[in-house]
Amino acid sequence: MKMKQSAIVLAALTVLTVSCGRQGTGDNELTSAEKNEGWELLFDGKTMHGWHVYNMGNVPSAWSVKDGALVCTQGAAKDVGDLVTDKEYKNYELLFEWKISKEGNSGVFINVAERPDLPAAWATGPEYQILETSHHDNENPKKRSGGLFALFAPVNAAPMKPQEEWNQAKIRQVDGKFEFYLNGQLTAQQDLNSRQWKDTVAATHFKNYADFGKYTAGHIALQDWNKGVSFKNIKIKQL
């Protein structure tokens, strides 16, 4: 009888241990290790707390939360607007997952300044490009996913998941030196203080925007381009 009772107790402890071990490992949750390392969630999977529409605040828009993802609804043209973090960030590592609809076009901006005299996040923030491969812009290497939109093609070819499947991305920045990653592959590497960066910007249409690419801190923004795009597991660790 004692052996039977011991077996029951052991089984119960095993179930409890497994259950506890799984806590914090689902979508939009942090593990205990991540919390100890200083990671913070930028999206809780349920609300848009911590985000607002660029230059508009907390207003209804094309953005909503659906099935644990932050979604920009395709076709909601009247409600356009990039979604911006309430806080600003300087040195950090940012992780996020994204998926996009057929012929979709979106992106993630860093070092965004938000002012009434600026039209959108792209006027100041360099963009981590997100593009579905059937989009016509994919023919231009400087507009492919993981690259630095309109400035530099991906430095390495990164494997892309099919449309509507989740891709993993990382952005790391320290004092204006940043790196982009797509599905584990380094895709961009630049220094905002370098002569190469300044000369490259001066040779593009971004030269018409005096503050573009000049900040080494700012908001993080998700681009609304009137196509279906979704984000989840958005987390940041300040360095």
Side-chain angles (χ1 to χ4, degrees):
M1 178 64 96
K2 290 184 178 180
M3 291 182 62
K4 185 176 181 180
Q5 290 177 335
S6 298
I8 293 173
V9 171
L10 180 60
L13 288 174
T14 301
V15 171
L16 181 61
T17 301
V18 172
S19 176
C20 290
R22 287 174 180 167
Q23 289 182 1
T25 59
D27 283 342
N28 308 306
E29 295 180 336
L30 295 175
T31 65
S32 296
E34 287 175 324
K35 292 177 182 178
N36 291 335
E37 291 170 2
W39 287 94
E40 303 172 60
L41 285 176
L42 291 186
F43 171 56
D44 62 15
K46 300 174 183 177
T47 71
M48 290 196 293
H49 177 73
W51 297 84
H52 65 274
V53 179
Y54 186 87
N55 271 343
M56 297 175 69
N58 295 312
V59 298
S61 71
W63 294 93
S64 64
V65 178
K66 296 180 180 179
D67 300 323
L70 194 51
V71 177
C72 186
T73 305
Q74 185 174 1
K78 66 179 181 179
D79 300 317
V80 296
D82 297 334
L83 202 63
V84 187
T85 55
D86 292 346
K87 296 180 180 179
E88 297 186 15
Y89 300 92
K90 181 176 176 63
N91 298 331
Y92 57 85
E93 187 168 304
L94 174 72
L95 300 178
F96 59 96
E97 294 182 43
W98 60 268
K99 67 177 181 178
I100 197 160
S101 62
K102 182 176 175 59
E103 298 183 347
N105 185 354
S106 184
V108 175
F109 301 98
I110 61 173
N111 306 329
V112 172
E114 186 176 21
R115 302 197 310 261
D117 62 309
L118 297 171
W122 52 258
T124 53
E127 179 184 356
Y128 179 113
Q129 170 72 328
I130 292 175
L131 192 75
E132 201 275 316
T133 54
S134 65
H135 193 289
H136 62 84
D137 277 353
N138 201 57
E139 296 179 6
N140 183 344
K142 293 181 180 180
K143 294 185 178 182
R144 291 176 184 163
S145 288
L148 193 48
F149 175 75
L151 294 167
F152 296 95
V155 295
N156 294 300
M160 274 273 294
K161 300 290 181 66
Q163 65 184 61
E164 300 297 351
E165 290 190 18
W166 293 102
N167 292 272
Q168 286 73 46
K170 179 171 76 172
I171 297 174
R172 179 183 173 87
Q173 174 174 259
V174 177
D175 297 330
K177 297 179 180 179
F178 66 87
E179 299 171 342
F180 292 169
Y181 292 82
L182 173 59
N183 293 325
Q185 186 69 260
L186 176 69
T187 51
Q189 190 172 34
Q190 285 296 319
D191 182 352
L192 296 174
N193 300 302
S194 70
R195 174 51 55 188
Q196 180 195 27
W197 172 258
K198 295 173 183 177
D199 289 346
T200 300
V201 170
T204 70
H205 69 285
F206 289 118
K207 66 183 179 183
N208 299 317
Y209 301 91
D211 291 328
F212 177 80
K214 292 186 177 178
Y215 299 108
T216 58
H219 301 276
I220 295 166
L222 310 179
Q223 187 181 39
D224 171 8
W225 197 244
N226 198 28
K227 285 287 186 181
V229 63
S230 302
F231 297 89
K232 68 175 181 178
N233 294 325
I234 310 171
K235 61 188 76 172
I236 194 167
K237 179 172 69 173
Q238 300 194 60
L239 304 175

